[in-house]
Amino acid sequence: MLQEIQFKLMTRMRQKRDDMLASDLQICPKIKKYLDVLITESRKWNAAWDGERKFQRGNCDCRVYDLTGIPCQHSIAAIHSRRHNPTDYVSDYYKREKYLAAYKHSLEAMKGEEYWDFHGGEIMLPPDIPKRLRGRP
């Protein structure tokens, strides 16, 4: 079972790294899908911009960006009104460099069961757990 888990992890890490290297995405794939949904939902909102540097409200009260590092649909509406790309406002933790850094290390293959050390002679017993008596100690 340990070898199967190790094999699946090794395969998954390699696959994630190869998928990101083959794509031209600048953010993680799941975050990109989530951001696309938020961009679609942001079309319901209208941001009132003064034309220079401020919006009607300076910050968003939903605090999604503060908690996740991903712009909420309200802030995406403001970002689009300034003709900017919402991907530029995603936290650096979700960017391509950090994703590739997380998957850059490879797991080494494990040797089979025939290479494991065998410590025979000792019988493995379950731990001794004393029975607790009822009532007040």
Side-chain angles (χ1 to χ4, degrees):
M1 181 173 78
L2 183 62
Q3 285 179 326
E4 289 177 23
I5 292 171
Q6 194 270 346
F7 178 75
K8 286 185 180 186
L9 284 174
M10 184 174 61
T11 306
R12 179 182 175 178
M13 290 182 73
R14 181 189 48 80
Q15 186 66 38
K16 294 267 188 193
R17 181 178 54 245
D18 292 346
D19 288 347
M20 183 55 102
L21 288 172
S23 74
D24 59 346
L25 294 175
Q26 294 304 313
I27 58 175
C28 302
K30 283 188 178 182
I31 303 303
K32 175 66 175 148
K33 286 181 184 178
Y34 179 61
L35 191 64
D36 290 342
V37 170
L38 290 175
I39 288 171
T40 304
E41 292 176 1
S42 73
R43 294 181 182 145
K44 296 185 283 187
W45 299 95
N46 187 13
W49 182 40
D50 70 356
E52 290 182 20
R53 63 174 202 242
K54 289 195 175 197
F55 288 88
Q56 183 176 0
R57 299 174 69 190
N59 56 358
C60 187
D61 292 337
C62 72
R63 296 188 49 222
V64 170
Y65 184 78
D66 296 336
L67 297 173
T68 64
I70 303 168
C72 64
Q73 55 191 342
H74 316 112
S75 58
I76 290 175
I79 291 167
H80 277 165
S81 70
R82 297 198 65 189
R83 311 257 191 279
H84 291 189
N85 188 1
T87 307
D88 298 337
Y89 291 86
V90 174
S91 175
D92 288 340
Y93 293 109
Y94 302 117
K95 298 285 174 110
R96 179 183 184 91
E97 297 81 28
K98 299 283 184 180
Y99 188 88
L100 289 173
Y103 289 106
K104 77 177 179 181
H105 301 290
S106 299
L107 292 178
E108 294 182 17
M110 277 179 52
K111 293 183 178 181
E113 191 172 342
E114 61 271 5
Y115 294 102
W116 295 356
D117 293 335
F118 179 71
H119 301 284
E122 296 179 20
I123 298 174
M124 187 73 85
L125 297 174
D128 184 30
I129 301 173
K131 188 173 182 180
R132 298 176 82 186
L133 298 176
R134 288 186 174 175
R136 185 174 176 171

